[in-house]
């Protein structure tokens, strides 16, 4: 307190201190001993600071960071990390420099089988017309990507490859004024420099893609637009020189002449590959190490990496000062130790694992120290932490080189692999340093030993130089983790027939893995799996026949029960029936049939299970073909099967597998090279993507549109640029269409009202809301087929 007044009279505290006015106890007079703990502000990334008498607090709301000092990033560094966590395509925030000063940026992650694309959209994605631009009055447009240039550069620099598609449509509007004129159009990149080259050409070459390929409209020019034609043409290509990306501005100066017009479009910034997530090195000897510049982290420090080893102990990294130091090590097969000294004496944190950490599997380590707390995290184990002392030293002062995989002292070095090493958001390129260091090898194999379980449904984990991928060749699924089902809608009469007999039309230039899906299956067993949705009974789902008159059929009877017909080794036909419910109920059902030797197992919807033992000599010989849906060839069908085959199958099939063959996937993905015959209408669908009761999934067709809702950027100019007259004509046509639509609706309403008394007397059938009308008509025909007569129950 100060300036104390009583009854508007000031009181002299010095007089109180001298004893001439009042008395006091436990006071500091003429001195304020409150410490301002928020100056300087140790809350990072814009966190707001508040304090008590003894400490300070950080409010990290809306900063994109968490922790006592808002140091730890809330978001991952790249789409690659999100993909590794099992995420699929979608919008994500990424923080390309982790705990560094740059904030998070929203991107679209497109996770595909081979590449993980990161797409950053800007504010002008539509095709934009330009007229009246001249060198004296140029047209220019700046692009805003929703983040800072530093964030974009961090994304680009950490990626293996980046590109942007640029398109220039022209009519009497020159682009680069080639071969040697002053460019009429240019774009600016990250450094705000003019770049007079166009998509498809390398930097420093004032050309377009057609000029390099020597296919321009006029061979005297290096761009199509530079021919200055009266007709519309374009120059389109990809810019891929990372040091110039992203495009931040475009300038156009040649659209002011008679009949001169241009239009431009610049696509999103697209990058793939995380150069650091799989950046790894192998330490071959305990004496080997990598060294880097001193780790400067006076007030806050975080270290994260992955390791795998079979050694009992070893030092991951160490950095020393005069008295201060920081060290991370595996001190025993089940212990990770983080030791640090800021001048107040060493502090050690130890995380103990219930299972050995030297199991040659990848393990994650994160250590952090700030003015509030020191912590150590290993995999998903409980985090060890200790509050930082308020008294004494608090600056971490280091001056030696940073040793990775070893130590400057006499302690034992590390023997194994380290990857994805980050210090305070800074990414250390271990592989580059290892190339010039003896005893250390770039890269580290064996990712599948740790992450192979992420490949599902028979997908095979395959090692890559940087990481791994899931090979779905022998799986009826697809996608980055072989979890995306391949489904199709069958109409009445639709069939897919897979032929097993040789020769089958497999091209010679196919890879071994691709050719493998067309190989002859082993005849001693059947492993069949499929899922289906239908409202039709009877139906024939699957039929397998052989040259020796053996066959297998899966069908639904008229009452909706499921039957499996087996004819093996000229014995009588075995019929296995499951009739716990009507399976033609527009819900998803899953069927598995497994026979190996004598033993047969039939499983329905993961719960119902039938077991049977055949006679010892049974064998499915000379398999000839497999048919999904209606069997159209004359193969002498059994009478019961023929009844179910009269309509075939109407509904949706997905994830069909026979041994290591995926016939439906082959028909939809490899129809030109696989030995398949498709008859009737076969449409890809996502019938099993929702819940079992989601009937709308039956006819939901996949969309191939761009995640941003953007049109195909290669569409003809006639579809992209409409003249004024065309716009007027379009408006008139829309008005006329609306008038006719209203009249039609009124007529239809009156007619339906007239007929309502009839329809009210008929019980309304229940169909999925979006099921095609042709499906409904075909389903109504089910009464024409008689019910199966013979049934054997187990």
């Amino acid at each position: 307190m100060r300036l104390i007044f009583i009854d508007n009279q000031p009181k002299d505290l010095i007089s109180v201190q001298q004893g001439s006015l009042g008395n006091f106890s436990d006071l500091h007079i003429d001195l304020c001993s409150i410490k301002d703990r928020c100056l300087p502000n140790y809350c990072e990334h814009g966190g707001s600071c508040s304090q008590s008498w003894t400490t300070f607090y950080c409010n990290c709301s809306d900063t994109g960071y968490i922790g006592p000092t808002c140091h730890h990033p809330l978001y991952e560094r790249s789409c690659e990390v999100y993909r590794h966590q099992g995420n699929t395509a979608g919008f994500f925030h990424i923080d390309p420099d982790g705990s560094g000063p740059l904030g998070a940026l929203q991107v679209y992650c497109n996770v595909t089988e081979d590449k993980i694309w990161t797409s950053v959209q800007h504010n002008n994605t539509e095709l934009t017309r330009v007229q009246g631009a001249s060198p004296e009055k140029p047209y220019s447009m700046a692009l805003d990507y929703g983040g800072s240039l530093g964030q974009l550069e961090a994304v680009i620099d950490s990626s293996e490859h980046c590109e942007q598609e640029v398109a220039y449509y022209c009519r009497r509007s020159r682009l680069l004024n080639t071969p040697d004129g002053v460019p009429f159009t240019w774009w600016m990149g990250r450094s705000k420099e003019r770049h007079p080259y166009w998509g498809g050409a390398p930097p420093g070459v004032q050309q377009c893609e057609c000029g390099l390929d020597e296919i321009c409209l006029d061979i005297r020019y290096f761009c199509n637009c530079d021919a200055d034609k009266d007709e519309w043409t374009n120059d389109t290509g990809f810019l891929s020189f990372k040091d110039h990306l992203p495009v931040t501005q475009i300038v156009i100066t040649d659209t002011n002449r008679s009949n001169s017009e241009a239009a431009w479009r610049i696509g999103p910034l697209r990058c793939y590959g995380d150069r650091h997530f799989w950046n790894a090195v192998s330490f071959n000897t305990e004496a080997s190490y990598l060294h880097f510049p001193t780790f400067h982290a006076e007030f806050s420090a975080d270290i994260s990496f992955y390791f795998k080893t079979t050694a009992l102990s070893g030092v991951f990294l160490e950095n020393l000062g005069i008295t201060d130091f920081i060290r991370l090590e595996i001190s025993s097969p089940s212990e990770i130790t983080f030791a640090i000294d800021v001048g107040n004496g060493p502090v050690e944190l130890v995380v103990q694992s219930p299972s050995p950490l030297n199991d040659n599997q990848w393990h994650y380590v994160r250590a952090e120290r700030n003015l509030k707390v020191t912590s150590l995290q290993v995999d998903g184990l409980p985090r060890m932490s200790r509050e930082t002392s308020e008294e004494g030293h608090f600056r971490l002062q280091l001056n030696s080189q940073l040793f990775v995989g070893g130590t400057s002292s006499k302690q034992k070095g590390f023997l194994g692999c380290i990857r994805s090493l980050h210090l305070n958001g800074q990414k250390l390129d271990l592989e580059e340093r290892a190339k010039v260091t003896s005893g250390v090898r770039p890269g580290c194999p064996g990712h599948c030993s740790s992450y192979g379980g992420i490949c599902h449904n028979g997908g095979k984990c395959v090692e890559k130089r940087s990481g791994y991928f899931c090979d779905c060749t022998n799986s009826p699924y697809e996608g980055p983790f072989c979890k995306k089902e391949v489904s199709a809608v069958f109409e009445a009469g639709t069939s897919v027939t897979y032929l097993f007999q040789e020769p089958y039309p497999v091209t010679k230039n196919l890879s071994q893995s691709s050719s493998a899906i067309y190989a002859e299956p082993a005849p001693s067993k059947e492993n069949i799996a499929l899922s289906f949705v239908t409202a039709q009974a009877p139906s024939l789902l699957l039929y397998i026949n052989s040259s020796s008159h053996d066959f297998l059929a899966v069908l639904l009877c008229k009452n909706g029960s499921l039957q499996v017909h087996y004819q093996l080794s000229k014995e009588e036909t075995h019929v296995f029936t499951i009739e716990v419910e009507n399976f033609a109920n527009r819900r998803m059902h899953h069927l598995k049939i497994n026979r190996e030797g004598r033993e047969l197992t039939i499983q329905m919807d993961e719960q119902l299970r039938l077991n049977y033992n055949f006679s010892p000599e049974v064998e499915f010989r000379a398999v000839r073909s497999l048919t999904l849906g209606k069997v159209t060839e004359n193969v002498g069908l059994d009478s019961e099967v023929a009844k179910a085959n009269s309509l075939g199958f109407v509904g949706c099939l997905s994830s069909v597998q026979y041994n290591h063959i995926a016939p439906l996937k082959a028909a939809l993905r490899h129809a030109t090279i696989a030995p398949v015959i498709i008859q009737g209408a076969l449409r890809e669908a996502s019938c099993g993507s929702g819940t079992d009761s989601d009937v709308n999934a039956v006819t939901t067709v996949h969309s191939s549109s761009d995640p941003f809702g953007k049109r195909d950027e290669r569409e003809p100019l006639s579809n992209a640029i409409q003249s004024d007259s065309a716009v007027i004509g379009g408006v008139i046509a829309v008005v006329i269409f609306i008038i006719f639509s209203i009249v039609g609706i009124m007529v239809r309403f009156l007619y339906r009202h007239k007929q309502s008394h009839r329809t009210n007397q008929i019980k309304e059938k229940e169909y999925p809301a979006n099921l095609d009308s042709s499906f409904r008509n075909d389903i109504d025909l089910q009464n024409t087929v008689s019910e199966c007569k013979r049934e054997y129950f187990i």
Side-chain angles (χ1 to χ4, degrees):
M1 291 182 176
R2 67 190 183 106
L3 297 176
I4 298 175
F5 287 74
I6 299 178
D7 291 337
N8 290 326
Q9 299 297 318
K11 301 304 175 183
D12 186 6
L13 296 180
I14 301 300
S15 299
V16 177
Q17 184 181 31
Q18 294 172 351
S20 61
L21 178 66
N23 54 51
F24 70 94
S25 64
D26 298 326
L27 291 180
H28 296 282
I29 295 181
D30 204 22
L31 174 68
C32 187
S33 60
I34 295 178
K35 180 180 180 181
D36 190 347
R37 301 178 185 277
C38 290
L39 187 66
N41 182 5
Y42 294 111
C43 302
E44 303 178 47
H45 302 106
S48 59
C49 179
S50 60
Q51 73 173 75
S52 67
W53 191 272
T54 58
T55 187
F56 70 93
Y57 307 95
C58 295
N59 183 356
C60 306
S61 301
D62 301 324
T63 64
Y65 297 83
I66 55 177
T69 60
C70 310
H71 178 79
H72 185 60
L74 188 60
Y75 306 105
E76 302 296 347
R77 289 185 174 90
S78 68
C79 289
E80 176 78 32
V81 182
Y82 283 114
R83 180 258 189 192
H84 184 67
Q85 295 174 347
N87 293 284
T88 53
F91 286 97
F92 295 90
H93 281 87
I94 63 171
D95 195 334
D97 71 336
S99 58
L102 299 175
L105 177 69
Q106 188 184 50
V107 301
Y108 184 86
C109 297
N110 186 11
V111 181
T112 58
E113 287 84 350
D114 52 348
K115 294 182 178 65
I116 295 89
W117 285 95
T118 301
S119 184
V120 188
Q121 190 61 284
H122 55 78
N123 62 332
N124 199 329
T125 59
E126 298 299 323
L127 196 65
T128 305
R129 294 175 58 179
V130 179
Q131 288 179 306
S134 65
E136 295 77 22
K137 188 180 179 181
Y139 165 90
S140 71
M141 174 62 70
L143 304 183
D144 181 5
Y145 292 83
S148 68
L149 197 56
Q151 290 172 307
L152 298 173
E153 291 177 3
V155 172
I156 294 170
D157 294 341
S158 62
S159 302
E160 295 178 12
H161 170 83
C162 291
E163 65 183 29
Q164 268 187 282
E165 187 177 27
V166 291
Y168 189 82
Y169 297 92
C170 55
R171 183 175 64 181
R172 289 188 55 80
S173 174
R174 292 159 291 181
L175 179 61
L176 300 183
N177 200 19
T178 57
D180 52 10
V182 177
F184 286 110
T185 298
W186 62 87
W187 57 274
M188 294 185 181
R190 65 168 69 179
S191 60
K192 303 298 182 181
E193 294 181 353
R194 292 186 179 186
H195 297 298
Y197 68 95
W198 203 243
V205 179
Q206 188 174 319
Q207 291 189 25
C208 298
E209 186 174 28
C210 71
L212 294 177
D213 297 337
E214 298 182 352
I215 56 172
C216 294
L217 293 177
D218 191 327
I219 60 173
R220 296 174 297 173
Y221 303 98
F222 298 151
C223 293
N224 289 322
C225 290
D226 290 347
D228 209 19
K229 300 288 187 179
D230 290 327
E231 300 80 19
W232 280 106
T233 185
N234 74 89
D235 286 293
T236 303
F238 286 92
L239 303 170
S240 57
F241 186 62
K242 287 171 47 176
D243 290 348
H244 288 172
L245 295 178
V247 179
T248 59
Q249 187 178 11
I250 184 171
V251 180
I252 299 173
T253 66
D254 187 30
T255 60
N256 63 329
R257 294 175 293 154
S258 176
N259 294 326
S260 178
E261 189 175 2
W264 62 274
R265 179 161 52 202
I266 296 178
L269 173 67
R270 301 174 71 244
C271 301
Y272 69 78
D274 186 334
R275 295 178 50 242
H276 301 282
F277 186 69
W278 298 104
N279 192 297
V281 290
S282 305
F283 296 93
N284 303 324
T285 66
E286 294 178 353
S288 59
Y289 62 85
L290 298 176
H291 59 82
F292 293 89
T294 305
F295 180 33
H296 294 289
E298 293 185 342
F299 303 113
S300 61
D302 74 87
I303 303 167
S304 64
F305 59 90
Y306 293 85
F307 79 91
K308 70 174 182 174
T309 184
T310 56
L312 300 178
S313 62
V315 177
F316 297 126
L317 59 86
E318 180 185 75
N319 206 160
L320 305 178
I322 298 176
T323 57
D324 299 359
F325 72 88
I326 189 169
R327 183 186 302 116
L328 265 165
E329 62 182 313
I330 177 170
S331 48
S332 75
S334 59
E335 289 185 346
I336 303 296
T337 300
F338 176 38
I340 186 170
D341 189 347
V342 296
N344 302 322
V347 174
E348 276 196 358
L349 294 178
V350 179
V351 171
Q352 291 188 332
S353 171
S355 57
L357 297 171
N358 62 341
D359 55 356
N360 206 29
Q361 304 290 308
W362 285 114
H363 298 282
Y364 179 69
V365 176
R366 178 181 172 83
E368 183 176 349
R369 179 261 171 188
N370 53 58
L371 298 184
K372 299 281 290 182
V373 69
T374 302
S375 63
L376 175 63
Q377 178 87 50
V378 179
D379 292 335
L381 299 173
R383 186 172 68 111
M384 294 295 295
S385 60
R386 184 178 301 177
E387 291 187 3
T388 303
S389 173
E390 289 283 337
E391 305 299 329
H393 301 277
F394 58 88
R395 292 174 180 263
L396 176 63
Q397 297 179 332
L398 307 173
N399 55 24
S400 73
Q401 288 183 319
L402 170 67
F403 288 81
V404 177
T407 171
S408 60
S409 59
K410 296 181 180 180
Q411 292 176 322
K412 192 175 181 181
F414 177 69
L415 192 63
C417 293
I418 293 178
R419 72 174 175 89
S420 189
L421 176 60
H422 293 79
L423 282 74
N424 271 5
Q426 181 183 2
K427 307 161 187 177
L428 300 189
D429 196 338
L430 302 175
E431 294 186 356
E432 283 299 316
R433 188 58 58 94
K435 292 177 182 178
V436 294
T437 306
S438 61
V440 186
R441 180 166 48 88
C444 183
H447 300 304
C448 283
S449 62
S450 296
Y451 306 128
I454 207 169
C455 302
H456 300 275
N457 301 307
K460 180 182 178 183
C461 183
V462 178
E463 292 282 340
K464 294 197 305 182
R465 181 186 176 276
S466 296
Y468 66 94
F469 74 96
C470 297
D471 182 6
C472 308
T473 301
N474 295 328
S475 169
Y477 293 77
E478 61 185 4
F481 312 108
C482 305
K483 294 176 68 175
K484 179 184 177 183
E485 61 185 11
V486 178
S487 311
V489 170
F490 284 65
E491 299 181 3
T494 300
S495 70
V496 173
T497 302
Y498 192 102
L499 304 176
F500 291 99
Q501 71 270 24
E502 293 184 9
Y504 17 81
V506 180
T507 57
K508 296 181 179 179
N509 60 354
L510 286 179
S511 65
Q512 184 176 359
S513 61
S514 298
S515 301
I517 65 173
Y518 310 124
E520 186 80 23
S524 61
K525 64 179 182 180
E526 290 89 52
N527 290 312
I528 300 172
L530 61 88
S531 300
F532 66 92
V533 176
T534 186
Q536 172 188 286
S539 293
L540 180 61
L541 279 71
L542 177 146
Y543 184 80
I544 302 174
N545 76 320
S546 72
S547 301
S548 58
H549 303 292
D550 293 347
F551 74 88
L552 184 155
V554 179
L555 55 93
L556 294 180
C557 293
K558 182 180 179 181
N559 62 2
S561 62
L562 184 132
Q563 286 192 344
V564 178
H565 292 239
Y566 247 112
Q567 170 70 51
L568 290 173
S569 304
K570 298 182 180 180
E571 291 187 352
E572 63 175 336
T573 302
H574 298 266
V575 181
F576 308 95
T577 304
I578 300 176
E579 56 176 1
V580 294
E581 64 174 297
N582 179 1
F583 294 109
N585 57 0
R586 307 176 187 88
R587 294 185 178 181
M588 177 67 74
H589 298 284
H590 310 278
L591 174 66
K592 291 183 180 179
I593 303 173
N594 295 303
R595 182 191 69 85
E596 183 141 13
R598 297 177 53 193
E599 298 181 359
L600 172 69
T601 301
I602 302 174
Q603 185 170 340
M604 192 72 179
D605 291 337
E606 308 297 335
Q607 296 175 349
L608 304 172
R609 189 181 183 95
L610 296 178
N611 296 291
Y612 181 75
N613 285 337
F614 290 105
S615 57
E617 67 276 3
V618 298
E619 182 179 0
F620 211 152
R621 298 166 295 173
V623 176
R624 195 167 72 87
S625 66
L626 180 153
T627 300
L628 304 174
K630 186 177 181 64
V631 178
T632 56
E633 61 178 337
N634 185 15
V635 292
L637 295 178
D638 175 91
S639 60
E640 306 296 332
V641 178
K643 294 176 182 178
N645 187 53
S646 60
L647 285 178
F649 176 75
V650 177
C652 194
L653 283 177
S654 71
S655 310
V656 183
Q657 184 162 17
Y658 172 72
N659 292 344
H660 63 274
I661 303 295
L664 186 59
K665 181 179 175 181
L668 293 173
R669 298 287 180 266
H670 311 287
T672 57
I673 58 175
V676 292
I677 299 174
I678 303 173
Q679 294 186 352
L682 183 71
R683 294 186 291 110
E684 186 170 357
S686 57
C687 53
S689 61
T691 60
D692 288 349
S693 60
D694 185 9
V695 296
N696 292 328
V698 176
T699 54
T700 302
V701 181
H702 285 300
S703 173
S704 60
S705 64
D706 184 88
F708 293 103
K710 179 166 59 66
R711 297 173 300 181
D712 184 4
E713 296 187 3
R714 300 178 186 84
E715 65 187 351
L717 187 64
S718 59
N719 293 334
I721 303 176
Q722 301 292 339
S723 65
D724 295 339
S725 59
V727 172
I728 296 173
V731 172
I732 295 174
V734 169
V735 172
I736 294 174
F737 174 77
I738 292 174
I739 293 173
F740 276 103
S741 298
I742 294 173
V743 173
I745 292 173
M746 293 176 63
V747 172
R748 181 175 178 84
F749 174 78
L750 294 174
Y751 176 79
R752 291 186 63 181
H753 180 71
K754 182 178 179 181
Q755 298 295 329
S756 60
H757 68 281
R758 299 180 184 176
T759 57
N760 289 336
Q761 297 174 359
I762 303 173
K763 184 179 179 180
E764 185 177 357
K765 293 187 174 72
E766 295 181 356
Y767 294 111
N770 61 346
L771 200 64
D772 290 348
S773 58
S774 61
F775 277 32
R776 302 184 185 187
N777 297 334
D778 293 332
I779 291 172
D780 291 339
L781 296 177
Q782 60 181 324
N783 294 327
T784 61
V785 183
S786 62
E787 183 178 2
C788 301
K789 298 177 181 180
R790 288 188 303 160
E791 296 184 356
Y792 297 88
F793 300 91
I794 299 177

